[in-house]
Amino acid sequence: MPQPHIDTESLLNPHWSQQDKRHAESVIEFVQLLMNDHDFDEVTRRYRGNRYVQHNRNMADGIDGVVETVSDLVKNAPEFSYDVRQVFVDGDFVILHSHVTLKAKHRGDESQGFNIIDTWRLEEGKLVEHWDAVQGLSFSMRLYSLAVGGKVRNSNGVF
């Protein structure tokens, strides 16, 4: 089954400024490449060298930490995908509210997978900082979160 594609146009608000739209598009493009296309080489090529502060304590700092974590996840769950449901923009901050699933058959089933709120901060159009909040929707995903959520891989704090 092909990986989903984020419909950027349907997520943009017409009242946003051109900068708001560019910020939203930048974040959505990053998420599409990383989380849905699993194009880790392209993510590394485009974003390595940029400062990227990671506040998800389970990921190492920087783009390499994100790529390593998602790459390891995809090895175990190759159908992993992000269905972005809402986008919010406030100046240099972009927030995505997404339904994340590990199996293609669970896409669209809101009782499966994860509810995730991601927040990015941009500087001069570049993603420089990331926070998230993750909620397992099914019992098995809540257990999964407990199993993988213990190792602290950066010292940035969650706030």
Side-chain angles (χ1 to χ4, degrees):
M1 174 178 249
Q3 290 298 85
H5 183 77
I6 301 168
D7 181 6
T8 303
E9 286 301 313
S10 71
L11 295 165
L12 299 180
N13 283 309
H15 71 275
W16 286 347
S17 70
Q18 287 303 311
Q19 178 178 312
D20 290 345
K21 290 178 183 176
R22 280 192 305 275
H23 281 173
E25 290 167 344
S26 294
V27 169
I28 291 169
E29 180 179 37
F30 174 74
V31 170
Q32 180 65 42
L33 281 170
L34 180 70
M35 303 298 197
N36 287 334
D37 297 344
H38 308 151
D39 192 343
F40 307 120
D41 291 336
E42 184 64 15
V43 169
T44 300
R45 186 187 71 73
R46 285 192 196 184
Y47 300 96
R48 181 183 274 158
N50 296 347
R51 181 173 64 95
Y52 190 84
V53 178
Q54 179 59 256
H55 293 279
N56 178 323
R57 301 298 302 275
N58 303 124
M59 293 186 197
D61 220 11
I63 290 298
D64 290 339
V66 174
V67 167
E68 177 186 7
T69 300
V70 177
S71 176
D72 288 347
L73 175 62
V74 168
K75 286 175 190 167
N76 295 320
E79 297 173 345
F80 169 82
S81 66
Y82 250 63
D83 177 14
V84 178
R85 301 287 181 90
Q86 297 180 73
V87 179
F88 305 94
V89 180
D90 183 11
D92 290 334
F93 291 89
V94 176
I95 301 167
L96 301 186
H97 185 196
S98 305
H99 179 217
V100 176
T101 52
L102 302 182
K103 297 180 181 181
K105 70 180 182 180
H106 291 155
R107 291 180 192 150
D109 180 349
E110 293 180 8
S111 70
Q112 299 296 318
F114 298 94
N115 169 34
I116 299 184
I117 306 284
D118 289 287
T119 303
W120 282 269
R121 186 173 66 81
L122 290 85
E123 278 181 3
E124 298 177 9
K126 295 183 180 188
L127 286 68
V128 296
E129 201 163 7
H130 172 258
W131 299 260
D132 62 11
V134 180
Q135 175 188 32
L137 297 171
S138 65
F139 181 71
S140 62
M141 291 298 98
R142 289 190 299 272
L143 287 177
Y144 175 82
S145 292
L146 287 173
V148 300
K151 187 162 187 171
V152 175
R153 300 178 193 271
N154 70 59
S155 61
N156 298 322
V158 296
F159 301 102

